[in-house]
Amino acid sequence: MRNLLDIIIAATQKPEVEKVVAHLHSISSEIGSIIIIDFDERKPSLPHEKIHKLKAKIKGFKYIFVEGQQYFNKSVALNIGASYSSSEIILFCDADILLEREFLKNGIEILSQDEKKFITPEFVTESDTGENRLAPGICMLYKNNYMLINGYSNEYKGWGMEDMDFIERLKKSGMKRVLSSSGIHMSHPDEARTQNYHSNSVDEMRRQNRALFQKKIEENNLNGTMDIDIINTNHKEYIN
């Protein structure tokens, strides 16, 4: 299987994404496109000249700007990013995670044997403390399975739980989660988690989103918002 994998990264005010893109490009020849989605064209994660250089250097590199949004919504960003993908397999990756080479290699191999699986890392390691933690926001799967549950849900406001919601709905649709390999998280303070959101309290956003997550489980809500996000949100690809 060659060039069947597209990588989608939401990156607003995340300069670390330049290092992530270079790292991903260096560890796999299976990548068709690396797609970045940014909510702030005035202060992009990457200056326009760097976007231009990456587009010239990396085949399939795309940088998408979302327009007219007061606050960043990761689910909207990932759903829009997926609409620019033309590969069979998509990998949703955080803008500050350096994945191990084996994650991409093993994930493609696992999916080639069973399309009803999806892959997340066993753990990621914090760069500043060496602590290991789960990383449900990293997810590799066939695009048709992503579309089956209508992508991510934009109901989660601010930080957290959109990834757990996505995983729960994949499981309820009959898919099996496989843990494989690991990565390194480029550590940052909580302030980086609250920028571009409606609240400056990570704890408050966690409480609200966990309550929403529990409510959706109780209601057996299996729907994401991919279709309406793509239609109702203005977005454009950086071309110059």
Side-chain angles (χ1 to χ4, degrees), residues 91-220:
L91 165 60
F92 297 102
C93 183
D94 286 352
D96 48 17
I97 297 286
L98 301 174
L99 290 170
E100 297 290 341
R101 182 188 304 269
E102 288 73 18
F103 179 83
L104 274 68
K105 179 181 177 182
N106 295 345
I108 291 173
E109 182 177 346
I110 291 167
L111 293 180
S112 70
Q113 297 171 1
D114 189 346
E115 294 188 7
K116 297 301 291 181
K117 291 180 178 177
F118 63 98
I119 320 299
T120 62
E122 292 185 31
F123 61 88
V124 293
T125 303
E126 292 291 340
S127 62
D128 60 354
T129 65
E131 178 185 2
N132 292 338
R133 65 170 179 81
L134 297 176
I138 316 297
C139 186
M140 182 190 294
L141 74 166
Y142 274 93
K143 186 177 180 181
N144 60 353
N145 290 320
Y146 155 85
M147 296 181 69
L148 181 67
I149 63 168
N150 203 21
Y152 284 83
S153 170
N154 68 17
E155 297 175 82
Y156 295 90
K157 308 302 181 185
W159 188 86
M161 297 308 294
E162 78 290 325
D163 45 11
M164 296 304 299
D165 174 276
F166 185 65
I167 286 174
E168 184 68 20
R169 288 185 292 111
L170 286 173
K171 289 179 180 178
K172 287 185 176 182
S173 74
M175 295 187 65
K176 180 180 179 181
R177 182 182 185 182
V178 177
L179 299 175
S180 176
S181 192
S182 62
I184 296 172
H185 177 244
M186 290 182 277
S187 303
H188 53 71
D190 268 355
E191 286 78 6
R193 293 188 171 96
T194 60
Q195 63 185 2
N196 308 308
Y197 289 144
H198 65 285
S199 171
N200 60 8
S201 170
V202 171
D203 288 341
E204 177 189 356
M205 288 187 287
R206 279 182 178 141
R207 285 195 298 270
Q208 292 175 348
N209 285 343
R210 283 173 179 164
L212 173 60
F213 177 65
Q214 187 60 41
K215 180 174 181 290
K216 290 187 69 177
I217 288 177
E218 292 170 358
E219 295 175 350
N220 199 31

Side-chain angles (χ1 to χ4, degrees), residues 6-7 11 14 34 59 95 103 107 112 157 177 189 213 221 238:
D6 285 347
I7 301 177
K14 281 282 189 176
I34 298 176
K59 182 179 178 180
F103 179 83
S112 70
K157 308 302 181 185
R177 182 182 185 182
F213 177 65
N221 187 336
Y238 176 89

